[in-house]
Amino acid sequence: MPSWTRLIRDVADFPRPGIVFKDITPVLADAAAFDAVLEALAAPWRETPIDAVLAIEARGFIFGAPLARALGAGFVPIRKPGKLPGRTLSQRYALEYGHDTLELQADALPIGARVLLVDDVLATGGTLKAARTLAERAEADIVGAAVLIELTALGGRARWQSDAPLQAVLSM
Ligand code: AMP
């Protein structure tokens, strides 16, 4: 395991009882660890033509923007409701802790744009699936998904159901 993994902090019962929250803020605060994480996220996609990184608010943005730059791609935010101006596509979904909705600007991507979905943690997979549905509704070509941490016990990968690769830097 890479040395930065020791910087991931397990926080019990956050934000709700029964959830073991993976706190990545110590990884972000360490320059060498943050750099190593970004390198590891980018590595599987260096040879893949990508028009845009679609990152999920909020922690997905932390990785999505530098990843877009590393891959020579644009950055398109998938946001919580009411944050994006203009016409939006909206997708409601179930979370490990509750429900939420994600939105994408309807004109953010040209039809057929090659997109990579990015988030920090894959838990039950509902968030990533909602993001993928938004990208599909925008008629994008989804080349894959990249997450920093996959929580394998929660089975989120089973909900990906796509031929496009889902790459996790760390499965735990
Ligand atoms: P899910 O839709 O269940 O795959 O949840 C993924 C989303 O919720 C990601 O955007 C994560 O930031 C967040 N999340 C869910 N579970 C955790 C966890 N145990 N630790 C940290 N973040 C989590």
Side-chain angles (χ1 to χ4, degrees), residues 98-117:
H99 276 86
D100 218 335
T101 300
L102 288 175
E103 292 186 347
L104 172 68
Q105 277 172 317
D107 62 357
L109 297 163
I111 289 172
R114 293 172 59 84
V115 301
L116 174 66
L117 301 171

Side-chain angles (χ1 to χ4, degrees), residues 8-11 14 19-25 59 120-121 149 151 172:
I8 298 168
R9 192 159 51 190
D10 281 1
V11 183
F14 181 87
I19 305 291
V20 180
F21 187 81
K22 297 291 178 188
D23 180 16
I24 53 150
T25 55
R59 287 184 297 275
D120 63 333
V121 172
I149 301 171
L151 301 176
M172 56 201 302

Side-chain angles (χ1 to χ4, degrees), residues 46-131:
R46 293 234 183 249
E47 307 304 320
T48 307
I50 294 169
D51 297 311
V53 166
L54 260 61
I56 303 168
E57 185 171 358
R59 287 184 297 275
F61 291 177
I62 297 167
F63 302 103
L67 192 58
R69 190 152 190 276
L71 298 175
F75 177 87
V76 172
I78 293 181
R79 297 210 62 178
K80 304 277 167 64
K83 302 283 188 186
L84 290 168
R87 195 167 77 80
T88 54
L89 306 171
S90 186
Q91 193 69 36
R92 188 175 148 86
Y93 65 102
L95 271 176
E96 189 183 1
Y97 34 83
H99 276 86
D100 218 335
T101 300
L102 288 175
E103 292 186 347
L104 172 68
Q105 277 172 317
D107 62 357
L109 297 163
I111 289 172
R114 293 172 59 84
V115 301
L116 174 66
L117 301 171
V118 174
D119 204 0
D120 63 333
V121 172
L122 177 73
T124 65
T127 306
L128 193 61
K129 189 172 179 196

